[in-house]
Amino acid sequence: MRALAARHALLPLRIFLGVTFVYAGLDKLTDSAFLSSTGDGSIGELMRGVRDTSAIPAMVDLALKAPVGFAVALAIGELLVGLGVLAGLLTRLAALGGALISLSLWLTVSWAVTPYYYGNDLIYLMAWLPLVLAGAPYLSLDSVIRSRRSRRTA
């Protein structure tokens, strides 16, 4: 039983992060207020609100050059990362994408949150790291592809 639990230890994390990022991406893509450069709840207002407290204001300035395009890219990135991790397809690459999204959000949006452990982006960044390191060796398309390749070479 221990071996089975150890083998599937990352599965709950994969499911949680995958579902969360799919939901976040779909939520952004279907929110017309968010996909605006101005107004309450817009990406533009959010970015202008965090610009002076972010760790890298130049990163926020870059997003503010095309806020709607940035919002769409962010949402599609979250959606692809979530789907990749849920399916276990190119899991390490998808997890790296999730880690980079979380890192960029931590350095911009939640950088000034105090105490630091109230900001969720840093926690998401740390949660992605085991999947970057280990991938999805079980119950994944990666494992199916790997087993087919090993059968062909054998």
Side-chain angles (χ1 to χ4, degrees):
M1 193 66 170
R2 250 187 212 165
L4 183 64
R7 183 180 310 146
H8 294 84
L10 292 179
L11 189 58
L13 185 61
R14 247 180 74 204
I15 293 169
F16 171 76
L17 290 171
V19 168
T20 300
F21 268 56
V22 166
Y23 179 79
L26 290 174
D27 189 45
K28 287 174 180 71
L29 287 173
T30 58
D31 185 350
S32 60
F34 182 78
L35 293 175
S36 300
S37 55
T38 59
D40 287 341
S42 70
I43 185 68
E45 289 302 313
L46 174 67
M47 291 287 108
R48 282 186 280 284
V50 300
R51 192 229 177 259
D52 294 334
T53 59
S54 73
I56 308 174
M59 208 165 146
V60 178
D61 290 339
L62 186 61
L64 282 169
K65 289 184 184 210
V68 175
F70 171 76
V72 169
L74 174 63
I76 290 172
E78 288 173 335
L79 187 58
L80 291 175
V81 162
L83 290 172
V85 168
L86 280 174
L89 180 62
L90 302 172
T91 309
R92 284 188 170 118
L93 182 61
L96 179 61
L100 291 174
I101 289 170
S102 297
L103 176 64
S104 65
L105 291 173
W106 175 54
L107 291 173
T108 56
V109 178
S110 60
W111 179 257
V113 173
T114 57
Y116 76 92
Y117 51 82
Y118 282 167
N120 63 348
D121 297 312
L122 178 59
I123 296 164
Y124 279 110
L125 171 60
M126 293 298 116
W128 283 114
L129 296 181
L131 294 176
V132 170
L133 296 171
Y138 299 100
L139 299 175
S140 66
L141 290 176
D142 288 344
S143 66
V144 170
I145 292 167
R146 212 173 11 261
S147 91
R148 284 186 181 171
R149 281 184 186 159
S150 67
R151 272 187 259 148
R152 275 191 228 149
T153 57

